[in-house]
Every structure is written in structure tokens, then in C-alpha cells.
Amino acid sequence: MPNPTDPSQLDAEALYGVLLQQVRGGLAGVANAAIVGIHSGGAWLAERLARDLGLEARLGVLDVSFYRDDFAEKGLHADIKPTQINFDVNGATILLVDDVLYTGRTTRAAINELFDYGRPARIMLAALADRGSRQLPVAADFVAAKVELDQSRALVLGRNDDGQFTLTIDDHHA
């Protein structure tokens, strides 16, 4: 697993390739698998993973805004999207996908929302990058890179018009 010393040099496409190989191996032989991405970066990754793994019919997207424990503090972001899960969650092995794993609060919120749709047999977590500093006991099953950043900085996944991923560092994130 890459462990870059300079986060500004992260190649999102190369990291996606690492993540895809990990997920492909981890889901090999798994029956009733589905992929659910967390809006927005995780949803972009989930869409591409589903396409590359032939799971487009078992793709869902979550927007966890209303499920976050800091909702009152953060409020709603401007680009809220409706959750879309068009398959039976009961008994499924769900690959939950996020772009950056940080405190664990988004993952907790996503799991809470998933359980509103049914009881999966298993939930696995995939993230493009893990930046540590967990506030909850959450660990990814699949992660392409571990990155250390100051708490005042954010790692931001972008997607170009051609569908290619980019990672940038936002120095104005508090």
C-alpha cells in the first residue's frame, strides 16, 4: 500500500488502480455483493468500481447529511442528493465506498442509513485514502493510501469531465 511522504504528489488514478485490485480480490467469490458510495467522492468511486467489476445493477448512493451526529453543527451542504438504493439490502454483502476516511463519523452515518434499508449480511469499507485521526473505531477493509495531513487541511477528490480522478489538498478547510 502506498504511503506517500508528500500528499501533494498523490496520483488519484494510480491509487484507484490499487483500490480496484484490492476490491476485486476481496469480493472474489462473494455472493450477493453490492456497492454503495457515499456522496459525492465515494459515489464517484463506487460508480467506477461497479462498472469495472460488472456490478452496475447493484450500485447505490447514500447522502448521509441527515444521519451525521454533527448535523446541527454543520448543517446541509448545497449539493445534497437523494439516497438511491434500488436493490434488496437484506442479506447482501455491501461494499461501502468513501473517498477519504478520516474521523469515522461519515462511515458511522452511512451504516446507520444502510440499516434503514435492511439488514445486510456484511458491510465492508473501501476508501481511496485514509488520513488517520479516527474519532470512532472504524477501519477500512480496502484502502489505497495512508496520508498524514494537518487537521486544518483536507484531502479532496475531484473528477474531471472525462471521468479521471484527481486529489488536491485544501488548505482552507477547518
Side-chain angles (χ1 to χ4, degrees):
M1 171 185 336
N3 191 0
T5 56
D6 183 358
S8 67
Q9 300 300 313
L10 291 172
D11 179 343
E13 283 298 315
L15 293 177
Y16 173 78
V18 169
L19 187 65
L20 174 61
Q21 292 308 317
Q22 290 175 359
V23 168
R24 182 175 278 135
L27 290 181
V30 172
N32 203 17
I35 298 176
V36 176
I38 300 171
H39 178 69
S40 63
W44 298 337
L45 289 165
E47 288 169 7
R48 192 147 152 204
L49 285 167
R51 186 180 67 235
D52 290 344
L53 298 170
L55 289 170
E56 296 97 334
R58 308 265 303 154
L59 172 65
V61 176
L62 295 175
D63 189 321
V64 301
S65 298
F66 293 116
Y67 287 79
R68 292 189 57 95
D69 59 3
D70 56 359
F71 174 75
E73 176 183 317
K74 288 192 171 201
L76 283 179
H77 50 84
D79 61 343
I80 191 167
K81 301 284 188 219
T83 291
Q84 297 177 345
I85 296 180
N86 300 319
F87 55 86
D88 189 3
V89 169
N90 288 303
T93 294
I94 305 289
L95 177 68
L96 184 62
V97 182
D98 202 359
D99 51 358
V100 179
L101 179 57
Y102 185 31
T103 64
R105 293 183 179 283
T106 299
T107 303
R108 185 210 49 83
I111 291 169
N112 284 352
E113 186 171 358
L114 270 174
F115 273 88
D116 282 352
Y117 286 84
R119 185 163 169 28
R122 181 176 184 191
I123 298 173
M124 302 168 82
L125 178 62
L128 195 63
D130 180 345
R131 61 172 289 179
S133 297
R134 219 68 80 236
Q135 296 174 356
L136 298 173
V138 173
D141 296 279
F142 312 106
V143 65
K146 292 189 180 200
V147 179
E148 292 185 22
L149 286 178
D150 183 85
Q151 288 184 351
S152 65
R153 305 174 92 194
L155 193 57
V156 180
L157 182 69
R159 183 172 65 170
N160 297 335
D161 291 338
D162 62 0
Q164 299 294 297
F165 296 127
T166 60
L167 276 171
T168 55
I169 295 174
D170 181 354
D171 289 314
H172 305 289
H173 181 76

